[in-house]
Amino acid sequence: MRRALLISLFCSTLSAASANAQEAQLANPDFKPELAKQLGADKIGMRHYVMVILKTGPNKIPAGKERDAMFAGHFANMKRLAAEGKLMVAGPADGVDGWRGLFFFAVDNIDAARELTATDPVIQQGEMIAEYHKVYLSAALMQVPQIHKQISAKN
């Protein structure tokens, strides 16, 4: 009985030592805990977002002043949401299957993304409709707006 207890204790100690050694091997020497916390990263550097696919809507606004104003408002809205730290990435799509653009919002749920998307003139006027998907991506995406400012020659 004593021998079985000692063997069990010895195996447990070896197992714990092996797990600690494996964790040490997996540790990232470049890891910056303060940055990870600032970006909302989990232990593997990921976080939740909501991806919004903007698709062609039921109301095609004809070329002219109204359409120009709508798109000026669309771009101003995106700029505002990015400045507020809510919109991480946005851009146009190729139009295939009605896809017009994408938003990646730093929010945890679709309802929050719906509220943000509802502030956009292209949605308000029915030029585009939105489809929502929860995604799990690198927390580094949180730095895209800041980096984009540094690489964009136009404001």
Side-chain angles (χ1 to χ4, degrees):
M1 179 71 155
R2 228 186 246 189
R3 180 179 281 167
L5 184 60
L6 286 173
I7 290 171
S8 176
L9 182 61
F10 179 73
C11 288
S12 295
T13 303
L14 281 179
S15 177
S18 175
N20 288 340
Q22 284 178 334
E23 193 166 311
Q25 285 179 336
L26 295 176
N28 177 1
D30 298 324
F31 178 63
K32 295 183 178 177
E34 302 82 21
L35 181 59
K37 184 177 179 182
Q38 174 191 342
L39 301 179
D42 62 15
K43 289 183 181 185
I44 60 170
M46 305 283 277
R47 67 170 288 153
H48 294 278
Y49 301 91
V50 174
M51 176 182 69
V52 180
I53 302 168
L54 299 174
K55 294 182 173 182
T56 298
N59 299 328
K60 171 81 170 152
I61 307 299
K65 289 182 181 181
E66 183 183 355
R67 184 175 183 80
D68 293 345
M70 176 186 65
F71 275 102
H74 172 65
F75 291 112
N77 191 58
M78 287 188 294
K79 188 174 184 177
R80 176 186 63 82
L81 292 170
E84 291 174 4
K86 296 173 183 167
L87 180 63
M88 300 300 99
V89 173
D94 59 11
V96 174
D97 295 329
W99 284 39
R100 303 275 298 274
L102 294 171
F103 291 158
F104 284 85
F105 287 120
V107 296
D108 291 334
N109 63 70
I110 289 174
D111 288 338
R114 282 185 203 282
E115 288 179 24
L116 298 174
T117 306
T119 65
D120 197 300
V122 299
I123 297 295
Q124 293 168 348
Q125 294 187 36
E127 174 77 22
M128 296 183 201
I129 58 171
E131 180 179 305
Y132 301 87
H133 300 275
K134 290 170 121 181
V135 293
Y136 183 61
L137 303 167
S138 173
L141 204 58
M142 297 295 289
Q143 293 191 318
V144 169
Q146 176 186 349
I147 293 169
H148 186 77
K149 286 180 190 175
Q150 298 171 14
I151 62 171
S152 178
K154 288 180 106 179
N155 190 6

